[in-house]
Amino acid sequence: MTETTSQHVDISQFSATSLEVMANQATINIGAIGHVAHGKSTLVKAISGIKTVRFKSELERNITIKLGYANAKIYKCDNAKCPRPDCFKSFASNKPVQLPCKRPGCGGKLQLQRHVSFVDCPGHESLMSTMLSGAAVMDAAILMVAANEPCPQPQTAEHMGAIEIMKLQNVVIVQNKIDLVDQKSAETNYEQVKSFISGTIAEGSPIVPISAQFELNVDAVVEYLYRHIPVPMRDFNASPYMVIVRSFDVNKPGAEVDQLVGGVVGGSILRGTLNLDQAIEIRPGITFRDNQNGIVSKPIVTKIASLRAESNKLQFAVPGGLIGVGTILDPMLASKNRLVGQVLGSAGRMPSMYKEVVISYSLLQRLLGSNLEKCKQVKVKKLAKDEILQVNVGANKIAARVTAVKGDRAKLVLNKPACAERDEQISLSRKIDSQWRLVGWATIIQGKALSM
């Protein structure tokens, strides 16, 4: 794959759908959400060819525990006689912008239309906060529903509530495991799905029946991803702002000193662009307790050593898609996801860090998830002074104590600093039956900046 280079091109002349950009980098993030074991990871693999279930604990239990990631390119045949959905195909992200159409007798060329990143979210109720972290970088969502189970299942409802809070306007519903039911059962399930999404942000979204396991009708899903989910408008000229959703040390044990490379962070750029050798800042950075000032944070300042989108090397990276940023940072600081939830941008041009925030909040009327019949009877109680919540600020999961409540406003003291912007939307979770359960959302009105 040819590297993109910022030294000979004007980045401001490109858009998120420019071939020069899509050839190397995904420009839209699509979340795979839904109840546990409904086939999210299987569908992502069918589209991208990449298995997102990688960790030993995930393989043993056959479920997604951590957020999974995979990129794919979506193509459309340029032969007008090539029938749909066969004219739509998807391949791994290292393929060129044009490929031959392999449909017998077609003779057309598959032309690149989209380059997407999938965020594969865990469906188990105990991992809801992990799903909310993934939602921070999503532009759209695939909601997976199993045709062999009644709809909605507990986390189907809870994930739907989450994307409504995040205001994801574009959703494709996938009715999976169609190979396990007869036609009448499939039609009954289809009507259940339609009833479930009625009145929600997903009302009117396409419902595509498939078998992800046997890759049946996956081309139709690919077509709807192209037709139903537009690429968001991106601001390439703004100061860069990236949400970190993973970080790691890529050095192998026993590596020689001259072979060592700096820590790597992965995430999605929300605005602006990143370039090789650019000075960057990671906030909140290193946090510690000072006897004089209490909680203190020291932002991490470093330099970009490499940029990658999976196997594609980049000279610059634009908003959308999931990017790996190699740095000259001590790899220990990035190892084992230590920087997850932090944000990255140009040195000296980052938002403030807060230990206390004032929010304007809204609560769900009733609880979502676990036992649906029971949840329908459980009203979400108002926030109370001194109660402990879990808030998701971007991809950062933070415990917070409510210190004051008045009307729809509340003051929260965070147990660790958050780098955030005013008017940023956050989710609120409350511990119910030993699980953090989504109960509402809020907007940051103001905050008390942290000393550095």
Side-chain angles (χ1 to χ4, degrees), residues 165 362-368 375-382 430 438-441:
I165 287 173
S362 297
L363 298 177
L364 300 172
Q365 289 187 336
R366 299 185 185 279
L367 197 62
L368 301 172
C375 288
K376 288 177 182 177
Q377 310 302 320
V378 180
K379 290 187 177 181
V380 175
K381 296 178 181 179
K382 295 180 180 179
R430 177 182 279 153
L438 180 67
V439 294
W441 64 97

Side-chain angles (χ1 to χ4, degrees), residues 248-406:
F248 40 89
D249 173 8
V250 297
N251 297 292
K252 295 181 179 179
E256 297 294 334
V257 173
D258 58 357
Q259 296 175 327
L260 294 177
V261 296
V264 177
V265 297
S268 189
I269 304 171
L270 302 186
R271 59 176 181 266
T273 59
L274 295 176
N275 299 277
L276 287 179
D277 298 322
Q278 180 178 349
I280 55 171
E281 186 174 325
I282 298 172
R283 288 194 171 199
I286 301 171
T287 301
F288 58 93
R289 184 173 291 277
D290 182 275
N291 291 332
Q292 218 170 13
N293 302 309
I295 297 294
V296 177
S297 279
K298 293 188 69 174
I300 299 168
V301 178
T302 184
K303 185 182 287 187
I304 296 176
S306 64
L307 291 166
R308 281 181 178 267
E310 287 194 342
S311 61
N312 300 333
K313 293 182 179 180
L314 309 173
Q315 295 293 319
F316 66 92
V318 303
L322 296 164
I323 299 298
V325 180
T327 70
I328 59 172
L329 189 64
D330 182 341
M332 184 274 295
L333 293 175
S335 66
K336 299 179 181 178
N337 283 327
R338 284 189 170 98
L339 297 178
V340 167
Q342 305 213 25
V343 294
L344 178 155
S346 291
R349 302 181 66 182
M350 296 287 288
S352 297
M353 295 179 293
Y354 298 117
K355 183 69 168 60
E356 298 179 10
V357 292
V358 176
I359 60 172
S360 172
Y361 71 91
S362 297
L363 298 177
L364 300 172
Q365 289 187 336
R366 299 185 185 279
L367 197 62
L368 301 172
S370 196
N371 186 319
L372 286 175
E373 290 305 316
K374 178 183 176 182
C375 288
K376 288 177 182 177
Q377 310 302 320
V378 180
K379 290 187 177 181
V380 175
K381 296 178 181 179
K382 295 180 180 179
L383 297 188
K385 186 178 179 181
D386 290 328
E387 80 164 304
I388 302 298
L389 302 173
Q390 180 174 272
V391 298
N392 281 73
V393 184
N396 206 356
K397 295 179 284 189
I398 305 174
R401 182 169 60 88
V402 181
T403 58
V405 182
K406 186 176 182 179

